[in-house]
Structures are given as C-alpha cells and as structure tokens.
Amino acid sequence: MTRQSRSDEQWMLRALAVAANGPEADANPRVGCVLVDPDGVLVAEGWHEGAGTPHAEAAALSTAGERAAGCTAYVTLEPCNHTGRTEPCSSALAAAGVARVVYAVSDPNAAAAGGAARLTEQGVTTEGGLLEVEAEALNRSWLHLMRTGRPWVTWKVATTLDGRSAAADGTSQWITGLEARADVHEQRAGSGAIIVGTGTALTDDPHLTARRPDGTLHDRQPLRVVMGQRDLPPDAHLFDDAAETVHLRTRSPRDVLAFLAGREVHRVWLEGGPTVAAAFMADHLVDEIVAYVAPVLLGRGRPSVSDLGITTIADALRLEPTDTRIVGRDVRITAILEESR
C-alpha cells in the first residue's frame, strides 16, 4: 500500500462513482473499473450492468483496447478468479498488459476469490484496501449475503407519533403522506424482494410493486414474497403479471431468508405487519429499520410491532440512527441494530 497516493484515492473515488451506475438489486455486486495511463490520463472506465453482462474490468478493457497496456486499473472489488461466461477478470487484466491493479475490497465469494494472488503470480503489481469503507458501503447487502449466508433485511414501518400502524378499525391507508409513499417505492425498487405475511396480503390486498410517482412501474421489480399458512385468493393483486410472487407456507423467517439466499437475493425489504416484524426481530434477523413517522395521533389501534418479550428497559433493543430526514410532512428515521454494525 506504500505506493498509494492522493491521486490513487481520486481515481478510486471515480471507480466508486462509476460502480453506482450498476443495478442495486441485481444478484451480482456493483463494481466499477477505471483505467489510467502512466501519465495520469483516463483511458477507459466500465461498470457491471447486471447478471449476464460483462464485468466492470472487461467493459473497461474492451473500451481501452491496446491502450490498456501499462495502465493502472482501479477496481472497487478484487478482480475475480472465476471462469464463468467469460475468463477471469484477473487473467484478462494481465493479458491486456495492465501494469498495476488497485482494488478496494477483497472478494468474499469463495467461488470468485483469489484474483489478487493470480495477478501477482502473473507479474502485475497488486494492492488492496484503498477506500475499503466506502466500497463496503456501496455493496453492503451483497457483502452481507456472501459473509453470513443470508440477505440483509430492512424492516420498513409506517407509524403514528404514538406508535400505531393502524387504527382501531384496522384501517391504515394512509398514515403517511404522498412523499413518504413515493420514497417507499424508491426503496422497493432497490430491493431484491419484498416480504409480507398472509395477514397483510388478505387485509390490504397490496400490489407490492415499485412504482414511480406517475404510477408507472420501475423497470426492475422486486420478488413479492408472502409467508404464512393461510390461502390467498387467486384474484389477489399479488398474483397479477406486474412481478413474480411466491407464497412460502411457513412462519419461519429463517426458512424464508434461506429460500431468498438460494435465489441470490441480498437485499430484503420487510413490509409485513406487527406479527411478521416481531418474528424477524425475535430471531435477530432484522439488520436495519426504516421508520416513517407521521405527525398523527390515534390513541388506540394496532401497534407497529407485536410483543418482543421485553419486560424491562435494560433489555430494550438499541438502535443506532444512520440518517434522519423530513419527507413531505413525515420524518424518515433510518437506524441499524447495534449487532449489525
């Protein structure tokens, strides 16, 4: 790491910005690659556009052609050492004559790791760990899946100031305003799956799609997942052709997440009611909470989460706020559980 300089950081920041062009909900990580010649001139850049498309390194090398020889490659994730639809990116970089590779995060995927060692073996100077924290944040949920075997779970809750998610008669549309609901749809669009229980599916008959403010569907739709034993009517909105839906006849959050891990889903948006939320919380399977708090009072009604078995303040689940902002007339609070840090 001794050769890394301020200019290295600037180019890696560029690679991170390029990587962000990739789809967040794709099964693969978002990766960016920037090729810079010995004079410090940008030669080419590329990013991974999703499963089935060239990796970031391959995209940049294709643009650079023979100009890649002698360049430094700045890559946000360790170049892969895996032969799939194409040759390993580590081999492609070496074959193109790239002189130096600087990457941010080591690849935790056992099937693809080892690219740095392979590059070194082929005579390419290789350095890792530059802007690792920033690169980890870019692929937080994908890295979580690779390291833990389960998706990152974000529980979304819309609640009144007094902690109610529905009125005494069961009505809950709408606690929050238009702006907050539009924000939820943006969050859905960046998720691989949305989970609700059969109770929410039967009571609300939701679409669970990701829609733009004008009502049109986002190009990429999350997998709609219903968990629970009760049957759903065949004409439910969840069974329209807007997105795929699976009904998992289980009450076990672990079973649901194991199924989604098998589908390579790494970011889950949990929209279930208080019972489903409590089940995930009780199993320590919620990593983040996004709470939309409306300036509304009900006094009575359904709580935002069911009994967690906590009887004393000393046992309270402590959260670390990571973001707070006003969304329309509502407040959005994002927090992670201390154990997910």
Side-chain angles (χ1 to χ4, degrees):
M1 304 256 282
T2 56
R3 293 183 57 190
Q4 292 175 1
S5 65
R6 184 169 182 82
S7 62
D8 285 332
E9 289 190 0
Q10 292 172 341
W11 287 120
M12 186 61 79
L13 285 171
R14 177 62 190 171
L16 288 166
V18 167
N21 290 322
E24 183 177 5
D26 190 75
N28 293 334
R30 293 188 287 179
V31 181
C33 175
V34 172
L35 296 175
V36 180
D37 73 14
D39 295 323
V41 177
L42 175 66
V43 171
E45 58 190 22
W47 64 90
H48 186 48
E49 297 184 4
T53 66
H55 287 190
E57 298 94 323
L61 289 172
S62 177
T63 300
E66 295 181 355
R67 294 180 299 156
C71 281
T72 293
Y74 298 90
V75 193
T76 57
L77 182 68
E78 178 186 5
C80 71
N81 194 34
H82 170 67
T83 301
R85 294 182 177 91
T86 60
E87 66 174 322
C89 291
S90 52
S91 295
L93 289 164
V98 169
R100 178 173 173 242
V101 172
V102 181
Y103 65 91
V105 179
S106 297
D107 195 334
N109 184 356
R118 187 165 187 167
L119 283 162
T120 301
E121 290 170 0
Q122 296 178 88
V124 179
T125 300
T126 309
E127 304 163 29
L130 180 62
L131 299 186
E132 184 175 11
V133 172
E134 292 83 351
E136 290 257 357
L138 180 70
N139 283 308
R140 178 183 64 177
S141 57
W142 181 83
L143 290 166
H144 185 270
L145 175 63
M146 292 298 106
R147 291 166 177 166
T148 69
R150 70 163 179 85
W152 176 273
V153 177
T154 299
W155 170 36
K156 168 260 176 180
V157 59
T159 181
T160 62
L161 279 177
D162 52 347
R164 305 296 176 179
S165 64
D169 65 357
T171 55
S172 60
Q173 297 180 335
W174 296 101
I175 287 176
T176 56
L178 286 170
E179 295 87 350
R181 300 202 296 274
D183 190 71
V184 168
H185 282 277
E186 289 296 320
Q187 298 273 5
R188 286 178 175 180
S191 301
I194 304 176
I195 299 175
V196 297
T198 51
T200 296
L202 291 168
T203 301
D204 296 343
D205 191 22
H207 289 84
L208 293 188
T209 49
R211 300 184 296 277
R212 302 182 183 90
D214 64 3
T216 60
L217 294 172
H218 281 273
D219 295 337
R220 179 185 294 269
Q221 291 295 314
L223 175 67
R224 301 179 290 194
V225 179
V226 183
M227 61 180 291
Q229 301 288 353
R230 287 183 285 179
D231 291 332
L232 302 177
D235 60 347
H237 288 140
L238 283 167
F239 296 126
D240 63 22
D241 59 1
E244 181 184 358
T245 297
V246 293
H247 181 187
L248 301 178
R249 294 182 180 271
T250 178
R251 296 188 180 93
S252 167
R254 293 190 183 278
D255 289 348
V256 174
L257 294 184
F259 170 83
L260 293 175
R263 292 281 299 258
E264 297 184 287
V265 171
H266 54 83
R267 186 184 180 211
V268 168
W269 186 250
L270 179 64
E271 287 202 22
T275 301
V276 169
F280 274 81
M281 292 289 286
D283 279 354
H284 304 283
L285 294 174
V286 172
D287 302 292
E288 179 182 57
I289 297 174
V290 176
Y292 297 87
V293 182
V296 174
L297 295 172
L298 284 174
R300 296 172 56 204
R302 186 174 66 189
S304 57
V305 64
S306 297
D307 184 9
L308 295 175
I310 298 171
T311 58
T312 178
I313 194 67
D315 295 335
L317 293 176
R318 299 293 177 177
L319 309 178
E320 179 181 333
T322 57
D323 182 71
T324 303
R325 66 185 63 188
I326 304 294
V327 182
R329 291 175 55 86
D330 307 307
V331 179
R332 189 187 79 186
I333 303 171
T334 304
I336 60 172
L337 273 71
E338 290 185 348
E339 61 196 51
S340 295
R341 285 185 295 181

